[in-house]
Amino acid sequence: QVWLVESGGGLVQPGGSLKLSCAASGRTFSTYSMGWLRQAPGKEREFVAAISSGGSTYYADSVKGRFTISRDNAKNTVHLQMNMLKPEDTAVFYCASVKGTYSNPSYYQERTSWDYWGQGTQVTISS
């Protein structure tokens, strides 16, 4: 069992920035791929970004160039730096993890690929 706890959500004006963090339990964090997915009201949960256990990164087209995912294996944490935020980024952001690394980026885009989930953190972009 892997426990994931997100932090860093909040209310930000359009164009602003936020940094989300996810703390994971366990001694084998470095062997897991980590990801962020989000769910806006009335919409399906969608892929945002992922970082493999090897450090490769993947992004949804909607966030490329604005969001950056990173990981600190020494601290069992993964971060999502979000810049140039837009109202359409408003959602609950979930941290997720899956054992191993996968060379096909499409794997990370599927909700069913992820084994463990955090409780989510609300991100609201509004003036």
Side-chain angles (χ1 to χ4, degrees):
Q1 181 70 33
V2 175
W3 298 99
L4 303 174
V5 179
E6 302 98 336
S7 61
L11 171 63
V12 177
Q13 291 187 342
S17 298
L18 273 178
K19 185 174 183 179
L20 305 182
S21 297
C22 173
S25 65
R27 300 180 179 180
T28 59
F29 175 79
S30 63
T31 65
Y32 282 76
S33 292
M34 301 298 296
W36 290 94
L37 295 89
R38 66 186 179 187
Q39 188 165 15
K43 295 188 176 181
E44 296 286 323
R45 194 170 298 187
E46 65 175 5
F47 169 77
V48 175
I51 185 165
S52 74
S53 57
S56 297
T57 57
Y58 308 91
Y59 297 95
D61 288 342
S62 60
V63 306
K64 278 181 183 175
R66 300 190 298 123
F67 291 10
T68 302
I69 189 170
S70 61
R71 65 189 299 158
D72 185 340
N73 290 337
K75 296 183 178 180
N76 279 25
T77 57
V78 62
H79 303 286
L80 185 67
Q81 177 67 48
M82 305 186 293
N83 299 326
M84 297 182 286
L85 285 160
K86 305 175 182 180
E88 50 264 44
D89 293 317
T90 295
V92 177
F93 280 69
Y94 295 90
C95 177
S97 68
V98 59
K99 184 77 170 177
T101 188
Y102 302 88
S103 58
N104 186 351
S106 296
Y107 182 87
Y108 296 114
Q109 296 172 4
E110 298 295 329
R111 285 180 299 157
T112 55
S113 296
W114 301 96
D115 291 331
Y116 302 101
W117 295 85
Q119 297 279 25
T121 185
Q122 177 69 47
V123 171
T124 303
I125 312 303
S126 175
S127 55

